[in-house]
Amino acid sequence: MTHQQTPIRIGVLGTHSTGKTTLLKRIQMELRGHGLTVARTGRLAKRAAAIGLPKMQHHTAASTEWIITQGIADDIAAAAQGADVVLVDRASFDALAYYHAALEHRGEHAHRLERERLRLLASTQAPKYDLLLATVLDPDVPVDQSHDYDHRYRLLVDRHVHGLLAEDGIPHQRVTSDPESHTRAIERALQLCLQEAAV
């Protein structure tokens, strides 16, 4: 593929343990198998926690802002390195959904201006995604028991992820736990990238 100033961006979001990492790895493998260079962003929540910011049901406006802006910086850095495709793990609305879920979980309400500011920040990234994949929680699929997940919080995140995308009319493809759904997402990503490569 000829180097482009603007790489293809594929974003993935969804509540935890819904197959995002596995999906990204499979997309990355397929794209590289066709000769495309791929950069992947991610590990934002762990990095936020490493500098002392709260995570999961303890998210705050500050931790949410850090994750969104760090994700933007990672995306820009990956593009600057000349990758044909940037895979964005936890696209910007993901952090916002986690924040809204944390507030609801704690029975708190953020100041209206603060909520609007964060939503505007997340919204600035939506036009950058050539393809957005949103995983869907299947409560019947068992989770890794080594993680201390709060079931209610996980459900809230899933509801807010899909609610935010619907409210803002953001085009996306839902990815369920059905293997066929994952296959369709991978095929769409591959088709998109190969079409762009042929231009």
Side-chain angles (χ1 to χ4, degrees):
M1 182 176 180
T2 302
H3 173 67
Q4 299 177 333
Q5 286 187 331
T6 304
I8 299 165
R9 286 182 171 83
I10 298 174
V12 178
L13 71 166
T15 195
H16 31 298
S17 289
T18 49
K20 294 187 300 297
T21 301
T22 300
L23 178 61
L24 281 169
K25 285 181 178 176
R26 290 183 62 190
I27 291 173
Q28 184 174 3
M29 184 177 67
E30 288 288 340
L31 294 176
R32 285 182 172 167
H34 284 78
L36 300 176
T37 57
V38 183
R40 202 170 101 196
T41 69
R43 303 179 64 81
L44 292 168
K46 287 186 177 180
R47 288 158 57 195
I51 60 171
L53 291 170
K55 62 180 185 178
M56 304 297 269
Q57 56 266 44
H58 307 293
H59 268 303
T60 62
S63 63
T64 303
E65 183 174 8
W66 188 92
I67 287 175
I68 294 173
T69 53
Q70 190 61 54
I72 295 170
D74 289 353
D75 177 349
I76 293 170
Q81 291 170 10
D84 296 320
V85 183
V86 176
L87 299 178
V88 182
D89 188 356
R90 296 196 176 280
S92 59
F93 271 93
D94 187 278
L96 195 61
Y98 270 79
Y99 177 52
H100 285 192
L103 289 173
E104 185 173 344
H105 188 273
R106 300 196 300 262
E108 298 176 3
H109 298 279
H111 190 282
R112 180 180 60 82
L113 292 178
E114 186 73 336
R115 290 173 69 106
E116 290 179 357
R117 187 180 66 81
L118 290 172
R119 188 160 188 156
L120 180 60
L121 179 61
S123 297
T124 61
Q125 300 308 295
K128 294 173 69 176
Y129 303 121
D130 298 284
L131 175 61
L132 199 57
L133 303 170
T135 57
V136 179
L137 174 63
D138 181 350
D140 294 329
V141 174
V143 296
D144 183 351
Q145 295 299 320
S146 65
H147 296 290
D148 184 23
Y149 289 149
D150 183 302
H151 180 63
R152 177 172 167 260
Y153 180 62
R154 190 164 171 254
L155 288 170
L156 287 173
V157 174
D158 181 68
R159 179 162 62 76
H160 281 287
V161 163
H162 297 284
L164 286 167
L165 293 175
E167 287 169 17
D168 282 17
I170 297 172
H172 64 282
Q173 181 170 334
R174 289 167 63 91
V175 184
T176 70
S177 59
D178 184 346
E180 285 299 317
S181 183
H182 278 242
T183 298
R184 286 194 293 273
I186 294 164
E187 288 175 347
R188 186 171 174 191
L190 190 58
Q191 183 181 35
L192 169 70
C193 296
L194 293 180
Q195 280 177 346
E196 290 296 324
V199 173

